[in-house]
Amino acid sequence: QVQLVESGGGLVQPGGSLTLSCAASGFIQDYAVIGWFRQAPGKEREGVSCFSKYDGTTYYRDSVKGRFAVSGDNARNTFYLRIHSLNAEDTATYYCAAAIGVRSVQSMCVSLTYPWDAWGRGTQVTVSS
């Protein structure tokens, strides 16, 4: 019933910026956490950031702090991941996930064991010169 669709991926040069979108449908309640994950070839899926629809709190994995920024347009149920200073290590498929009914983010939101209710199918980001 809950659906998430990522978009905005593509090919970008090192040092560039990109904004990914996560369009959510099937729920309108105020309490929800949106998580962003990525998976590079041959590696496990890794949580990078989370955003609370309710109170705007955020969390970032240490490796992306200062370069990644999450935000949301709550009225549209659309959420964003802005990536700056892209490098080759950012190349991955990026996914969004939703934990419905969760109020605020904590560090556990970048874990796959967090109570995610839905996942998108991913959007590819490739960083190459």
Side-chain angles (χ1 to χ4, degrees):
Q1 187 173 1
V2 178
Q3 295 183 339
L4 304 173
V5 180
E6 303 94 340
S7 62
L11 177 65
V12 63
Q13 294 183 343
S17 299
L18 201 63
T19 299
L20 307 182
S21 298
C22 174
S25 62
F27 72 97
I28 59 173
Q29 68 186 83
D30 293 335
Y31 289 7
V33 166
I34 305 299
W36 286 95
F37 294 76
R38 65 184 181 183
Q39 188 166 22
K43 296 185 178 180
E44 297 182 352
R45 190 169 299 186
E46 174 189 52
V48 296
S49 186
C50 312
F51 171 81
S52 170
K53 178 182 177 181
Y54 173 69
D55 62 11
T57 52
T58 60
Y59 178 80
Y60 300 92
R61 182 176 293 275
D62 286 345
S63 61
V64 305
K65 287 180 178 178
R67 298 193 301 114
F68 284 38
V70 290
S71 61
D73 183 341
N74 292 345
R76 295 178 179 271
N77 256 6
T78 301
F79 309 92
Y80 305 98
L81 173 63
R82 179 70 172 173
I83 311 175
H84 301 275
S85 301
L86 283 156
N87 58 61
E89 293 184 351
D90 296 318
T91 295
T93 301
Y94 284 73
Y95 302 86
C96 62
I100 301 169
V102 181
R103 180 177 179 179
S104 299
V105 303
Q106 298 178 20
S107 61
M108 292 298 297
C109 68
V110 295
S111 172
L112 292 173
T113 62
Y114 202 71
W116 303 113
D117 296 296
W119 290 84
R121 294 184 178 181
T123 185
Q124 178 67 38
V125 173
T126 302
V127 184
S128 177
S129 60

